[in-house]
Amino acid sequence: MTDDASASQPGPAHVAIIMDGNGRWAKSRGRPRAFGHRRGVETVRKAVETAGDLGVRYLTLFSFSTENWNRPADEVGALFQLMKTYVEADLEQLAARGVRIRIIGRRDNLGEDLKAIIDRAETQTAANDRFHLTIAFNYGGRDELVRAARTLARAARDGGIDPDTIDNAAFEQALDTHGLPDVDLLIRTSGEERISNFLLWQLAYAELLFLDVLWPDFSARHFAEAVDAFKQRSRRYGGLDAGAA
């Protein structure tokens, strides 16, 4: 594939972002980690707006992982409060803009107040289809796969499904992200270069881009440059470029 052909590739429909670096951003300014997380929420708002401007239709953000429970209790509490505050403050505006909100991850160990907010956000925006915002909260990729396997195993045990008919499509329907397309582009901020147990199934053929910028400093320019970089890549899905020998 020539450079010109590569440059003509459409932009990503589904972008996922590991929003990393809030704590380091705050520490570099002599502030507590919670200050960085609060500033990170402002970056989330800008990223959602920018995604739409760039033609991205699906945006999935990694907000709180199942491993983040190992952080200090006060930081975990601050992250939970930020989740509630963001949804409560932005829900009406997002709903009016045609945004569908989904929160993926475990809910069994969340407080009733947070579960009620999540349910309200999903219910109120369920009919929207202009833009899809998915927030991975209390989420882990391995945990999602295990839960999906259990769902299918119970269905097979109860006679609802023949195990021999379970294929990729059936497994995808048991995932938290059922109904969403696979991720086209994964962006991770902060300079770290790993996926940290995020969307292990959905990232199978995603392009990966690691940026040496902390999440609170992630701007519309960074997002646009990431989309442009994606357009320059050749996605072969195990095949060859056109014209390759």
Side-chain angles (χ1 to χ4, degrees):
M1 182 176 289
T2 65
D3 290 341
D4 289 342
S6 176
S8 66
Q9 176 170 284
H14 188 175
V15 175
I17 305 179
I18 299 176
M19 308 179 293
D20 196 14
N22 290 334
R24 276 170 281 173
W25 184 89
K27 184 178 179 180
S28 69
R29 289 159 174 77
R31 304 295 296 270
R33 293 177 60 86
F35 177 74
H37 293 309
R38 288 194 297 271
R39 182 58 66 91
V41 170
E42 295 303 317
T43 305
V44 167
R45 292 188 171 104
K46 295 175 184 176
V48 171
E49 182 176 349
T50 301
D53 293 341
L54 293 172
V56 174
R57 192 151 177 251
Y58 301 86
L59 180 65
T60 300
L61 304 174
F62 202 4
S63 176
F64 184 87
S65 77
T66 50
E67 290 76 29
N68 285 156
W69 287 99
N70 296 321
R71 295 188 177 187
D74 58 343
E75 182 175 356
V76 172
L79 288 167
F80 273 57
Q81 184 57 47
L82 280 173
M83 176 65 174
K84 291 188 286 187
T85 300
Y86 172 71
V87 173
E88 289 179 326
D90 290 45
L91 178 56
E92 296 300 328
Q93 181 185 40
L94 291 170
R97 288 165 53 191
V99 177
R100 180 178 180 182
I101 300 172
R102 292 175 63 171
I103 291 87
I104 61 173
R106 291 182 57 186
R107 300 190 188 180
D108 58 312
N109 56 348
L110 299 180
E112 293 303 318
D113 57 341
L114 183 53
K115 285 192 283 189
I117 291 171
I118 290 173
D119 288 342
R120 181 162 63 90
E122 293 188 330
T123 300
Q124 187 170 333
T125 63
N128 291 344
D129 193 43
R130 183 177 180 184
F131 184 87
H132 295 254
L133 174 61
T134 302
I135 301 174
F137 188 84
N138 198 27
Y139 172 90
R142 289 180 174 178
D143 178 74
E144 179 188 27
L145 295 175
V146 168
R147 287 187 286 106
R150 287 174 178 165
T151 296
L152 292 171
R154 284 192 291 266
R157 177 197 62 194
D158 297 338
I161 188 172
D162 180 350
D164 289 334
T165 67
I166 297 175
D167 55 12
N168 284 351
F171 199 86
E172 286 174 353
Q173 285 302 306
L175 295 173
D176 294 350
T177 54
H178 59 87
L180 297 178
D182 282 346
V183 176
D184 296 306
L185 172 65
L186 170 73
I187 301 170
R188 180 173 185 148
T189 58
S190 86
E192 303 292 347
E193 299 185 359
R194 54 183 177 272
I195 61 174
S196 295
N197 196 23
F198 184 43
L199 299 177
L200 300 179
W201 177 280
Q202 301 85 346
L203 291 175
Y205 281 101
E207 297 294 321
L208 309 182
L209 188 62
F210 303 105
L211 301 181
D212 193 16
V213 57
L214 301 177
W215 176 247
D217 292 327
F218 182 79
S219 65
R221 176 179 62 83
H222 292 116
F223 207 153
E225 289 176 350
V227 168
D228 285 342
F230 172 87
K231 292 178 180 178
Q232 302 301 318
R233 298 189 180 183
S234 175
R235 307 183 77 195
R236 296 183 296 275
Y237 301 99
L240 297 174
D241 285 340

